[in-house]
Amino acid sequence: MKVLITGATGLIGQEIVTLCHKANIDVNYLTTSKNKLRSDPNYTGFFWDPNRNEIDVKCFEDVSVIINLVGATVAKRWTSSYKKEILRSRTQTANLLVESLQKTKHSIRHIVSASAIGIYPDSFQKYYTEDSPERDTGFLGEVVTKWEDAVLQFKTIGIDVSILRIGLVLSQKGGAYPKISKPVKYGVGAIFGSGNQWQSWIHVQDLASMFMFVMNEELIGVFNAVAPNPVSNEKMTRVLAEKFNKKIILPNIPKVVMMLLLGEMHSILFSSQRVSNAKILETGFKFDYENIVSAIDDLVPNEAIAKST
């Protein structure tokens, strides 16, 4: 079996590549950097430039599944130009893949694509499922809606579509977690706003396993990629503090302060989405990290605690 991965060199992509190789699945990957091209027997890179509508269609040869992870990070100040890049990096890439497949003989039957729980509106009370009709009316909601619409185009060319709406990814190697944990580690952590906002999270290893599970079981449709137990911002901050043997002594950080520091991007820190993963659980998927304590225990080894105290 061979898969094509977009975003293979990113945080989630690297984890999935490792799992593919353990399962003897060969990987083709697309990259915009010619310096990242490799040609190993089970890991072959192909160049593309979505901004110029260029792609090496040899990437599709003998591939049966696409795992679509490409997308510019949202954890960067949202200037007007960068907002366009966030959107373009998700929609333009999907469009290019669909257009290229229409013109190319291929054996691809399934795409498993990343998405985000940012599609759901900010709410302290609601418990969102994949069938929830509500949509966030802000920038992130617009991005995720257009992202999913772009991916759904694969249906029009006879390819099954699976979408994983990803929550806050916890990993030592990157993403939001190091930015969240670092201030706590050094004793300057603080709770954002009221601290009551829900954070639906997932350990990166569980997320990579979920992509593999959806692919191997040929599951079709939308799935929330979050752990079984969402937590409040205050709970997550205090679990980290306890793990690092630190105290939360600073006052809660008002929203207006982060707005001044981060601009519109501050909404990520204060938005509340309590998201259900019942649908993926019903398929038989098993989480290794079901609660925030077990996830933090894995991410913060004892030697790191010793160094921080």
Side-chain angles (χ1 to χ4, degrees):
M1 182 178 178
K2 183 180 287 187
V3 301
L4 171 64
I5 302 180
T6 69
T9 59
L11 177 67
I12 303 166
Q14 291 178 57
E15 295 282 342
I16 293 175
V17 169
T18 298
L19 293 181
C20 283
H21 287 163
K22 285 182 180 178
N24 294 317
I25 296 172
D26 294 338
V27 175
N28 285 355
Y29 66 95
L30 285 163
T31 176
T32 58
S33 173
K34 292 185 177 180
N35 293 330
K36 292 183 179 180
L37 291 174
R38 287 171 51 183
S39 186
D40 298 335
N42 63 352
Y43 188 61
T44 307
F46 297 86
F47 179 75
W48 70 338
D49 185 346
N51 290 330
R52 295 186 177 184
N53 230 34
E54 295 177 5
I55 184 171
D56 184 348
V57 295
K58 291 179 182 178
C59 68
F60 301 129
E61 290 181 4
D62 301 321
V63 168
S64 54
V65 179
I66 297 174
I67 296 178
N68 183 46
L69 307 169
V70 68
T73 180
V74 297
K76 182 177 173 180
R77 194 175 184 93
W78 296 350
T79 62
S80 58
S81 61
Y82 190 64
K83 286 169 76 171
K84 292 177 183 176
E85 174 60 21
I86 290 172
L87 180 58
R88 185 170 57 243
S89 66
R90 288 159 171 79
T91 57
Q92 196 172 50
T93 49
N95 292 340
L96 177 55
L97 288 170
V98 170
E99 291 167 6
S100 301
L101 287 169
Q102 286 176 314
K103 304 171 186 175
T104 308
K105 186 177 180 180
H106 66 86
S107 54
I108 295 166
R109 52 181 170 76
H110 191 188
I111 180 170
V112 186
S113 180
S115 180
I117 63 169
I119 199 168
Y120 303 119
D122 176 35
S123 175
F124 289 98
Q125 291 83 31
K126 291 187 177 178
Y127 194 28
Y128 293 114
T129 69
E130 293 85 351
D131 295 328
S132 297
E134 301 93 338
R135 292 291 178 266
D136 178 71
T137 57
F139 173 65
L140 280 184
E142 175 193 359
V143 167
V144 181
T145 298
K146 290 182 177 179
W147 187 8
E148 292 190 2
D149 286 345
V151 172
L152 288 171
Q153 293 179 98
F154 282 85
K155 285 185 177 182
T156 66
I157 57 172
I159 295 175
D160 291 331
V161 175
S162 304
I163 291 174
L164 272 58
R165 291 177 177 163
I166 302 170
L168 175 66
V169 179
L170 300 185
S171 168
Q172 291 173 315
K173 298 177 182 177
Y177 172 77
K179 298 180 179 69
I180 294 170
S181 63
K182 190 173 181 179
V184 179
K185 179 179 179 179
Y186 291 106
V188 290
I191 294 160
F192 290 108
S194 69
N196 294 328
Q197 62 269 35
W198 289 103
Q199 295 186 312
S200 296
W201 58 275
I202 186 168
H203 192 290
V204 68
Q205 291 176 16
D206 280 334
L207 179 57
S209 295
M210 191 182 297
F211 270 93
M212 296 294 290
F213 184 83
V214 168
M215 176 180 71
N216 291 329
E217 297 297 318
E218 299 183 359
L219 303 179
I220 310 303
V222 178
F223 299 90
N224 289 329
V226 294
N229 298 289
V231 294
S232 67
N233 173 258
E234 180 174 3
K235 172 72 173 178
M236 181 175 288
T237 306
R238 294 199 182 282
V239 168
L240 279 166
E242 184 175 349
K243 184 66 178 176
F244 282 118
N245 294 321
K246 301 293 183 181
K247 292 183 178 179
I248 302 298
I249 57 176
L250 296 177
N252 293 23
I253 301 175
K255 184 182 289 191
V256 65
V257 172
M258 299 311 294
M259 191 183 301
L260 290 171
L261 290 174
L262 302 176
E264 192 178 352
M265 195 197 84
H266 82 283
S267 62
I268 295 176
L269 303 173
F270 294 88
S271 184
S272 176
Q273 284 112 0
R274 185 169 176 244
V275 178
S276 168
N277 71 352
K279 185 176 178 181
I280 193 69
L281 287 177
E282 288 168 1
T283 68
F285 180 76
K286 305 292 185 185
F287 285 82
D288 288 329
Y289 302 97
E290 294 189 345
N291 62 72
I292 194 65
V293 174
S294 66
I296 297 300
D297 281 346
D298 177 72
L299 294 168
V300 185
N302 291 328
E303 57 265 29
I305 300 170
K307 290 177 183 177
S308 68
T309 55

Short mmCIF file of all heavy atoms in Angstrom, two decimals, residues 108-112 154-155 158-162 218-220:
data_model
loop_
_atom_site.label_atom_id
_atom_site.label_comp_id
_atom_site.label_asym_id
_atom_site.label_seq_id
_atom_site.Cartn_x
_atom_site.Cartn_y
_atom_site.Cartn_z
N ILE A 108 -6.42 6.45 -6.68
CA ILE A 108 -6.78 6.99 -5.37
C ILE A 108 -8.28 6.81 -5.12
O ILE A 108 -9.10 7.18 -5.96
CB ILE A 108 -6.37 8.47 -5.26
CG1 ILE A 108 -4.85 8.60 -5.32
CG2 ILE A 108 -6.90 9.09 -3.97
CD1 ILE A 108 -4.34 9.98 -5.56
N ARG A 109 -8.61 6.26 -3.97
CA ARG A 109 -10.01 5.98 -3.63
C ARG A 109 -10.50 6.72 -2.40
O ARG A 109 -11.69 6.75 -2.12
CB ARG A 109 -10.20 4.48 -3.41
CG ARG A 109 -9.22 3.87 -2.42
CD ARG A 109 -9.43 2.38 -2.24
NE ARG A 109 -8.34 1.76 -1.47
CZ ARG A 109 -8.20 1.87 -0.16
NH1 ARG A 109 -9.05 2.57 0.54
NH2 ARG A 109 -7.19 1.27 0.45
N HIS A 110 -9.57 7.34 -1.64
CA HIS A 110 -9.96 7.88 -0.33
C HIS A 110 -9.03 9.04 0.03
O HIS A 110 -7.82 8.96 -0.19
CB HIS A 110 -9.82 6.76 0.72
CG HIS A 110 -10.41 7.08 2.06
ND1 HIS A 110 -10.22 6.26 3.17
CD2 HIS A 110 -11.18 8.11 2.51
CE1 HIS A 110 -10.86 6.76 4.20
NE2 HIS A 110 -11.43 7.89 3.83
N ILE A 111 -9.58 10.12 0.57
CA ILE A 111 -8.77 11.18 1.17
C ILE A 111 -9.19 11.36 2.62
O ILE A 111 -10.40 11.40 2.93
CB ILE A 111 -8.88 12.52 0.40
CG1 ILE A 111 -8.01 13.59 1.07
CG2 ILE A 111 -10.32 12.99 0.27
CD1 ILE A 111 -7.84 14.87 0.27
N VAL A 112 -8.20 11.42 3.50
CA VAL A 112 -8.43 11.69 4.92
C VAL A 112 -7.78 13.04 5.21
O VAL A 112 -6.56 13.17 5.15
CB VAL A 112 -7.82 10.59 5.82
CG1 VAL A 112 -8.21 10.83 7.28
CG2 VAL A 112 -8.26 9.21 5.37
N PHE A 154 -13.51 16.42 -3.60
CA PHE A 154 -13.00 15.11 -4.02
C PHE A 154 -14.15 14.14 -4.28
O PHE A 154 -14.01 13.20 -5.07
CB PHE A 154 -12.06 14.54 -2.95
CG PHE A 154 -10.69 15.15 -2.97
CD1 PHE A 154 -10.43 16.34 -2.29
CD2 PHE A 154 -9.66 14.55 -3.68
CE1 PHE A 154 -9.17 16.91 -2.31
CE2 PHE A 154 -8.39 15.12 -3.71
CZ PHE A 154 -8.15 16.30 -3.02
N LYS A 155 -15.29 14.36 -3.63
CA LYS A 155 -16.46 13.50 -3.87
C LYS A 155 -16.90 13.57 -5.34
O LYS A 155 -17.38 12.58 -5.89
CB LYS A 155 -17.63 13.93 -2.98
CG LYS A 155 -17.50 13.55 -1.52
CD LYS A 155 -18.79 13.93 -0.79
CE LYS A 155 -18.76 13.49 0.67
NZ LYS A 155 -20.05 13.83 1.35
N GLY A 158 -15.31 11.00 -7.50
CA GLY A 158 -15.42 9.60 -7.10
C GLY A 158 -14.49 9.15 -6.00
O GLY A 158 -14.25 7.94 -5.84
N ILE A 159 -13.99 10.08 -5.21
CA ILE A 159 -13.08 9.74 -4.11
C ILE A 159 -13.81 9.93 -2.78
O ILE A 159 -14.41 10.97 -2.55
CB ILE A 159 -11.80 10.60 -4.17
CG1 ILE A 159 -11.00 10.26 -5.44
CG2 ILE A 159 -10.94 10.41 -2.92
CD1 ILE A 159 -9.79 11.14 -5.66
N ASP A 160 -13.75 8.90 -1.91
CA ASP A 160 -14.37 9.01 -0.59
C ASP A 160 -13.63 10.04 0.26
O ASP A 160 -12.40 10.16 0.18
CB ASP A 160 -14.33 7.65 0.12
CG ASP A 160 -15.25 6.63 -0.52
OD1 ASP A 160 -16.28 7.04 -1.11
OD2 ASP A 160 -14.96 5.42 -0.44
N VAL A 161 -14.39 10.76 1.07
CA VAL A 161 -13.82 11.85 1.87
C VAL A 161 -14.05 11.62 3.36
O VAL A 161 -15.18 11.35 3.79
CB VAL A 161 -14.43 13.21 1.47
CG1 VAL A 161 -13.91 14.32 2.38
CG2 VAL A 161 -14.13 13.53 0.01
N SER A 162 -12.98 11.73 4.13
CA SER A 162 -13.06 11.73 5.58
C SER A 162 -12.41 13.01 6.09
O SER A 162 -11.36 13.42 5.59
CB SER A 162 -12.32 10.52 6.18
OG SER A 162 -12.84 9.33 5.66
N GLU A 218 -11.37 2.46 6.57
CA GLU A 218 -12.11 3.08 5.47
C GLU A 218 -13.39 3.77 5.97
O GLU A 218 -14.46 3.64 5.38
CB GLU A 218 -12.44 2.03 4.39
CG GLU A 218 -11.18 1.41 3.79
CD GLU A 218 -11.48 0.42 2.67
OE1 GLU A 218 -12.67 0.20 2.37
OE2 GLU A 218 -10.52 -0.12 2.09
N LEU A 219 -13.24 4.53 7.05
CA LEU A 219 -14.36 5.28 7.61
C LEU A 219 -14.58 6.53 6.78
O LEU A 219 -13.63 7.23 6.42
CB LEU A 219 -14.07 5.66 9.07
CG LEU A 219 -13.77 4.51 10.03
CD1 LEU A 219 -13.48 5.05 11.42
CD2 LEU A 219 -14.92 3.51 10.07
N ILE A 220 -15.82 6.84 6.51
CA ILE A 220 -16.17 7.98 5.67
C ILE A 220 -16.96 8.99 6.50
O ILE A 220 -17.79 8.61 7.34
CB ILE A 220 -17.02 7.55 4.45
CG1 ILE A 220 -16.37 6.35 3.73
CG2 ILE A 220 -17.22 8.71 3.49
CD1 ILE A 220 -14.96 6.60 3.26
#
